[in-house]
Amino acid sequence: MKGKYKAAIALVLVLVLLPLTLLLTLTHWVPTLAGIWLPVGTRISLQESPRLTRSALLIPDLRYLVGDCEIARVTDARLSRPSRWRLHIGQLEINSACLSKLPASDPSPGSPRTLAEWQSMLPYSWLTIDNLRLSPWEKWQGRLVMSLTPAQQDIGFAGKELSLQARLRGQALTVSQFSARLTDDQPPVKLVGTFHLPLVPDGLPVDGQMQGTFEFPQTAEWIDAELEWQHNRGQLLVTPRGEVEPILDLPWEITPERITISDGRWRTRYEAYPLRGRVALSVGNWQQGTEQMIVSGRLNVLTEGHAGKGNAVLNIGPGKLSMDNSDLPLRLTGEAKLGEMILYAALPAQLSGPLISPQLAFHPGALLRSRGRVIDALNIDEIRWPLAGVKVTQQGVDGRLQAILRAHEQQMGDFTLHLDGQASDFLPDSGRWQVALLGRGTFYPDAGALGCEGQAGSGATMLLP
């Protein structure tokens, strides 16, 4: 009899201590167990043990990693079930730089493929993330709220610079409100639209239409945008409010291999001068991410001045635009005629660096020239800007910066100025250009009356703060 009591006590201790031990060691065995279902090379990490209360499961901190790169971090998560499942997360941080390191894998047999299959798996639930941050776009962080059922999914996002209200029922997506402030000194861009999503959610919507409105920075006028498409073809029209002719007309086509814009048209104004032209663009490997995309295209600018019509062409690529390291060749050639001035360009260059802070480096042979009349009395015979080796970033201009001016004034004579020096983060209102100023001229103070002429030459060095 005594042995039976000991066995019963031992069984009770096992039943009590085993769950308690498992609960206290969650940080050790849960990541290992979860690794069975996670993609190869990824893992989760718990910094603190989850806590189970009478009404909720609390997870203070959870990280998801691929190798040593932290893809996501969850802080202050709470899972409860008042009337349906509710997941409340204090903060979710996602590092987009780690997404490219996720290993490719084939879908497992029996896994859902169609949108309807995915929706049927959704539990009746609410999801709230007080602060959703996506690096390196922290500017767009905000609060995410989702209400999920198999029949309908509602999503709301509210941030300082971005807001969204949308609903998905089956394959029909309705965006009732979208607002994004792209620049600090401009009103936000606003969009609404309806979309028909594909049966298998691995591509763009099958068809749809979208309308938007925003304020154009250069003119401070309201612009209406309309996007429509059927299957893999569509058109984007951007038109100033109250006008008929669009300022941007982009017919486009999308295939699994390529996004193509062909015979696009655009127009705008630079001060009092109308500008217009055409654009063609091709983006290959677009489904493989920005690191694998190949960008190429062509854009031309038509101008008209007193000297006639001008045409300048910008050839783009082929190359890549990357969030980490872009590598895109550019070449601008041709001429622009504005009023009585003519600009000539032969500018081969390379765009490199991350998209959020790119660098434009001019190749050997890069030269910008101009001639014409600035005012009635002053004629510019030629201005030359040799730009080989010059680099342009958001901070300013770096490298050897030169300007060579030859001009004449009808009454006073002619002169030549040569500015040559080293620039460092130089902008008109900041940076440094340590420049040597050289000049010479032939002047006729009153040639008709005095019959005399004079010559002058000077050299100086200036430091522009």
Side-chain angles (χ1 to χ4, degrees), residues 189 232 273 282 361 427:
V189 175
N232 67 330
Y273 306 110
S282 173
L427 291 172

Side-chain angles (χ1 to χ4, degrees), residues 389-393 395-401 422-426:
V390 172
K391 298 179 181 179
V392 182
T393 66
Q395 288 72 39
V397 179
D398 290 283
R400 184 184 179 186
L401 191 58
Q422 192 71 22
S424 176
D425 294 338
F426 176 71

Side-chain angles (χ1 to χ4, degrees), residues 300-314:
N300 81 305
V301 183
L302 297 175
T303 56
E304 186 171 358
H306 294 290
K309 296 182 178 181
N311 182 29
V313 178
L314 175 64

Side-chain angles (χ1 to χ4, degrees), residues 191-195 207-212 224-230 233-238 250 252:
L191 302 173
V192 296
T194 57
F195 310 89
D207 56 63
Q209 61 178 9
M210 181 174 63
Q211 298 82 35
D224 295 322
E226 183 178 358
L227 177 65
E228 293 186 354
W229 70 94
Q230 289 283 340
R233 296 172 182 264
Q235 186 174 24
L236 171 65
L237 295 174
V238 179
L250 297 180
W252 53 267

Side-chain angles (χ1 to χ4, degrees), residues 178-431:
F178 175 85
S179 176
R181 187 181 299 275
L182 303 181
T183 58
D184 295 335
D185 57 346
Q186 293 295 325
V189 175
K190 297 181 179 180
L191 302 173
V192 296
T194 57
F195 310 89
H196 186 72
L197 301 184
L199 182 63
V200 178
D202 58 355
L204 296 177
V206 177
D207 56 63
Q209 61 178 9
M210 181 174 63
Q211 298 82 35
T213 180
F214 57 94
E215 190 173 1
F216 204 54
Q218 283 73 16
T219 60
E221 62 180 341
W222 286 100
I223 303 295
D224 295 322
E226 183 178 358
L227 177 65
E228 293 186 354
W229 70 94
Q230 289 283 340
H231 301 292
N232 67 330
R233 296 172 182 264
Q235 186 174 24
L236 171 65
L237 295 174
V238 179
T239 309
R241 187 164 296 177
E243 297 187 17
V244 177
E245 183 183 3
I247 59 174
L248 186 63
D249 181 357
L250 297 180
W252 53 267
E253 180 180 2
I254 296 182
T255 66
E257 297 79 23
R258 189 174 302 278
I259 299 175
T260 304
I261 296 175
S262 58
D263 198 27
R265 301 167 186 260
W266 64 273
R267 67 178 180 90
T268 186
R269 297 188 70 86
Y270 172 70
E271 296 182 351
Y273 306 110
L275 308 177
R276 63 177 60 241
R278 299 196 178 191
V279 59
L281 187 67
S282 173
V283 181
N285 302 332
W286 65 275
Q287 295 193 91
Q288 300 180 24
T290 57
E291 298 301 320
Q292 303 298 325
M293 288 194 309
I294 303 298
V295 180
S296 62
R298 185 176 185 271
L299 181 144
N300 81 305
V301 183
L302 297 175
T303 56
E304 186 171 358
H306 294 290
K309 296 182 178 181
N311 182 29
V313 178
L314 175 64
N315 289 291
I316 304 169
K320 71 172 184 176
L321 289 173
S322 166
M323 297 305 303
D324 299 322
N325 188 21
S326 299
D327 185 16
L328 185 67
L330 303 171
R331 185 176 185 87
L332 177 64
T333 56
E335 60 184 24
K337 298 179 179 179
L338 303 173
E340 297 191 29
M341 294 295 295
I342 306 176
L343 292 168
Y344 304 92
L347 300 174
Q350 192 81 14
L351 186 70
S352 60
L355 272 180
I356 58 175
S357 58
Q359 173 184 276
L360 182 66
F362 290 100
H363 291 325
L367 177 64
L368 185 64
R369 299 185 297 122
S370 178
R371 65 178 177 87
R373 179 177 296 177
V374 179
I375 58 177
D376 291 340
L378 181 62
N379 290 280
I380 304 298
D381 298 321
E382 185 182 49
I383 304 179
R384 297 169 61 89
W385 292 278
L387 296 175
V390 172
K391 298 179 181 179
V392 182
T393 66
Q394 293 177 340
Q395 288 72 39
V397 179
D398 290 283
R400 184 184 179 186
L401 191 58
Q402 301 183 71
I404 305 166
L405 167 65
R406 292 191 300 106
H408 69 273
E409 203 274 338
Q410 296 178 0
Q411 301 296 326
M412 299 296 294
D414 58 77
F415 60 92
T416 299
L417 292 177
H418 185 184
L419 286 77
D420 189 355
Q422 192 71 22
S424 176
D425 294 338
F426 176 71
L427 291 172
D429 58 350
S430 64

Side-chain angles (χ1 to χ4, degrees), residues 136-152:
W137 303 286
E138 288 85 355
K139 174 183 178 180
W140 310 108
Q141 62 183 307
R143 188 171 190 262
L144 176 68
V145 178
M146 299 180 69
S147 175
L148 306 175
T149 70
Q152 177 176 300

Side-chain angles (χ1 to χ4, degrees), residues 49-186:
S49 294
R51 300 192 304 273
L52 185 62
T53 68
R54 295 182 60 183
S55 59
L57 173 64
L58 307 179
I59 304 176
D61 184 274
L62 183 146
R63 296 186 301 155
Y64 181 43
L65 304 98
V66 52
D68 294 328
C69 192
E70 185 177 283
I71 300 177
R73 182 166 191 164
V74 176
T75 305
D76 295 332
R78 178 187 178 93
L79 179 63
S80 60
R81 198 176 190 279
S83 59
R84 62 169 72 175
W85 288 108
R86 179 191 295 274
L87 177 59
H88 188 281
I89 297 175
Q91 180 164 286
L92 172 59
E93 301 175 75
I94 300 176
N95 184 5
S96 63
C98 297
L99 297 178
S100 60
K101 299 181 180 180
L102 285 171
S105 60
D106 297 327
S108 59
S111 62
R113 287 183 50 83
T114 67
L115 180 61
E117 289 174 342
W118 282 105
Q119 291 170 323
S120 66
M121 296 178 62
L122 292 174
Y124 286 79
S125 57
W126 295 298
L127 170 64
T128 302
I129 302 175
D130 289 335
N131 190 29
L132 174 61
R133 297 180 58 189
L134 179 61
S135 175
W137 303 286
E138 288 85 355
K139 174 183 178 180
W140 310 108
Q141 62 183 307
R143 188 171 190 262
L144 176 68
V145 178
M146 299 180 69
S147 175
L148 306 175
T149 70
Q152 177 176 300
Q153 299 84 47
D154 293 314
I155 179 172
F157 185 88
K160 184 178 179 181
E161 308 292 345
L162 176 68
S163 62
L164 168 70
Q165 290 291 332
R167 171 172 291 177
L168 178 62
R169 293 181 63 89
Q171 294 176 249
L173 174 64
T174 301
V175 178
S176 56
Q177 189 264 332
F178 175 85
S179 176
R181 187 181 299 275
L182 303 181
T183 58
D184 295 335
D185 57 346
Q186 293 295 325

